[in-house]
Amino acid sequence: MSSRDLIRLRDSASDFLERKVTDAVITVPTDFSDIQKEALVAVAKAGELEVLQIIREPVAAVLAYAARQIPEEQGVDKNILVADLRGTRCDTAVVASRGGMYTILATAHDYGLGGLKLDEVLVDYFSKEFIKKHKADLGNERSLAKLRLEAEGTKRTLSLGTSATISIESLADGYDFYSTINRLRYELSAKKVFDQIVSLVENVVKRVELDLLDIGEVILLGGTSHTPKIAFGIATLFPDSVSVNAPATLTTALIPSELSARSAVIQASLIAEFNNEDIKQSTHPAVTIAPYLSHPIGVVIGEDNSSQAMLEAQTAAPARRITQFDIQSDGDVIVRICEGIREIVVEKVERQVNGEKGRMIGKKRMKMMKRRRKKSAIAY
């Protein structure tokens, strides 16, 4: 990014607000180094902008959704998976939300995966269609550029509808090209790309040594998140109780391509009244980068061994929790502080058939199966 780009953004914001913009909050990917952040701040200064804070994009996405929660939902402890699906890269992260504090537990990146891969799938599909119809070559760059531009528009259309039409005048050798594609054909052609994105989501959960059942919410951001097949594919990994915030799976989801900008605006409004020294102290690495618990910590009270978790796993340390217990004893009470382990209990539910009626139904089903087998054998 150059200072020219920031100046254009600053001027656009100033024209819209009808007053001069002098400060900014910027979101960056999780793999942004300190050198890159310093270079970004220097570019902003060259564009006459003071950078108040730099936010990592997974936390920014969580902040955008947290800002619209009702008071009862705010501060609820949970693990949030954030998938940032862009045009040229895909980033995933697991964020622990503990008492309003957000900690990034793990990240995963794929710098060759993104919306351009889906464009290439459509370009390849339409290229074969053109060659099949007209027996002409699409080797020149001008023809491919036309096709790539239309393929991108087709991808966006298929994210909203079930079919799309492509029409290009004089695509190659004077031939006009007209074709249609439905969403099913598109999803079958791009299955490999979709599987890679879903696999990236699974890998980041494994990297932090969590189970998919430990994830309480999923947030998709970036332009590629508009693709329904991606949202549904990620949703199949998690239980139905986990909300996947994407336009295809949740009607109240925020626009994925606007999440970073929305969260930057929210954060800017929160720190607008702070001076620069307070902001620097609150965003110092000693404050923002903290270790977290790998196992939950709880207390066991009394002889009946009644336990209660006080600090969930992935809570940033140091931490403090205050609670109150009702003790049914007049004497001393033993309180033990314990570290818990995570277990997943799997229960297999057996189907039960009750009484004589159940046996009669079973016999009738067996007779029907025998009749069907006889009929199929005769037909064969």
Side-chain angles (χ1 to χ4, degrees):
M1 178 180 286
S2 64
S3 58
R4 183 184 303 173
D5 298 325
L6 286 177
I7 290 173
R8 288 179 180 175
L9 291 173
R10 182 202 64 191
D11 293 342
S12 298
S14 299
D15 293 341
F16 180 79
L17 297 173
E18 297 182 351
R19 61 179 180 178
K20 188 176 181 180
V21 175
T22 58
D23 303 321
V25 173
I26 301 177
T27 63
V28 297
T30 53
D31 58 347
F32 238 53
S33 64
D34 293 337
I35 296 176
Q36 289 175 305
K37 292 178 183 178
E38 291 173 1
L40 183 60
V41 172
V43 169
K45 284 186 177 180
E48 298 180 358
L49 279 174
E50 182 72 23
V51 178
L52 299 179
Q53 188 176 358
I54 294 177
I55 311 174
R56 289 182 286 184
E57 286 177 347
V59 176
V62 175
L63 177 62
Y65 276 96
R68 69 172 194 170
Q69 288 178 340
I70 60 177
E72 290 77 9
E73 295 178 350
Q74 293 178 354
V76 176
D77 294 349
K78 59 183 174 180
N79 298 321
I80 305 170
L81 189 142
V82 181
D84 188 358
L85 312 178
R86 305 284 179 173
T88 57
R89 58 181 288 176
C90 288
D91 304 317
T92 55
V94 177
V95 181
S97 174
R98 300 290 184 270
M101 294 184 62
Y102 304 124
T103 306
I104 296 179
L105 305 179
T107 59
H109 313 278
D110 193 323
Y111 301 104
L113 188 64
L116 289 181
K117 284 286 186 180
L118 299 176
D119 294 346
E120 291 175 5
V121 169
L122 290 172
V123 168
D124 183 65
Y125 174 82
F126 287 125
S127 296
K128 292 177 180 178
E129 284 282 313
F130 181 81
I131 294 172
K132 183 179 178 181
K133 286 182 179 180
H134 302 290
K135 304 296 188 294
D137 189 17
L138 276 174
N140 63 82
E141 289 297 326
R142 184 176 181 182
S143 299
L144 289 175
K146 286 183 179 180
L147 193 55
R148 287 193 188 98
L149 184 62
E150 291 296 326
E152 184 180 358
T154 302
K155 178 185 67 177
R156 294 178 179 178
T157 303
L158 290 172
S159 297
L160 300 174
T162 57
S163 63
T165 301
I166 184 172
S167 179
I168 305 175
E169 184 178 351
S170 185
L171 178 58
D173 295 342
Y175 290 110
D176 298 336
F177 180 59
Y178 176 87
S179 182
T180 59
I181 184 173
N182 57 37
R183 184 185 287 179
L184 178 60
R185 173 63 63 183
Y186 165 59
E187 291 174 351
L188 290 174
S189 302
K191 183 179 183 301
K192 183 179 179 181
V193 180
F194 295 147
D195 291 343
Q196 289 175 346
I197 294 175
V198 174
S199 177
L200 187 66
V201 171
E202 287 184 288
N203 290 338
V204 73
V205 178
K206 293 178 182 177
R207 183 170 295 183
V208 76
E209 297 181 354
L210 291 177
D211 192 271
L212 293 172
L213 298 174
D214 295 323
I215 303 299
E217 186 179 3
V218 179
I219 297 175
L220 303 187
L221 73 149
T224 309
S225 301
H226 289 273
T227 306
K229 186 65 174 179
I230 295 176
F232 290 132
I234 294 175
T236 56
L237 297 175
F238 303 96
D240 295 337
S241 58
V242 177
S243 62
V244 179
N245 295 293
T249 55
L250 196 65
T251 56
T252 57
L254 300 174
I255 300 175
S257 53
E258 297 179 358
L259 276 182
S260 296
R262 180 187 288 265
S263 62
V265 171
I266 294 171
Q267 187 66 7
S269 65
L270 294 174
I271 64 176
E273 298 179 357
F274 296 164
N275 56 48
N276 291 338
E277 189 61 31
D278 292 338
I279 295 173
K280 288 180 180 179
Q281 290 181 0
S282 61
T283 58
H284 193 275
V287 178
T288 57
I289 301 176
Y292 57 88
L293 303 176
S294 57
H295 298 284
I297 294 178
V299 294
V300 178
I301 302 174
E303 297 179 355
D304 57 349
N305 292 331
S306 60
S307 61
Q308 179 174 338
M310 299 293 293
L311 295 172
E312 297 291 340
Q314 287 80 50
T315 300
R320 182 176 67 175
R321 296 291 185 271
I322 299 175
T323 188
Q324 185 175 352
F325 299 95
D326 293 330
I327 306 299
Q328 304 296 330
S329 175
D330 296 332
D332 296 335
V333 177
I334 298 176
V335 178
R336 289 175 290 170
I337 300 176
C338 303
E339 185 180 67
I341 58 174
R342 180 175 56 87
E343 292 183 350
I344 298 175
V345 179
V346 179
E347 294 182 359
K348 186 177 180 181
V349 180
E350 298 288 345
R351 184 177 180 182
Q352 297 180 356
V353 181
N354 298 325
E356 188 67 25
K357 184 178 180 181
R359 287 194 289 272
M360 292 294 294
I361 293 173
K363 290 180 180 179
K364 288 181 180 179
R365 286 180 178 173
M366 288 295 294
K367 289 181 180 179
M368 290 176 66
M369 289 176 65
K370 288 180 180 179
R371 289 175 184 173
R372 287 176 182 173
R373 287 177 182 173
K374 286 181 180 179
K375 288 182 179 180
S376 61
I378 294 170
Y380 179 77

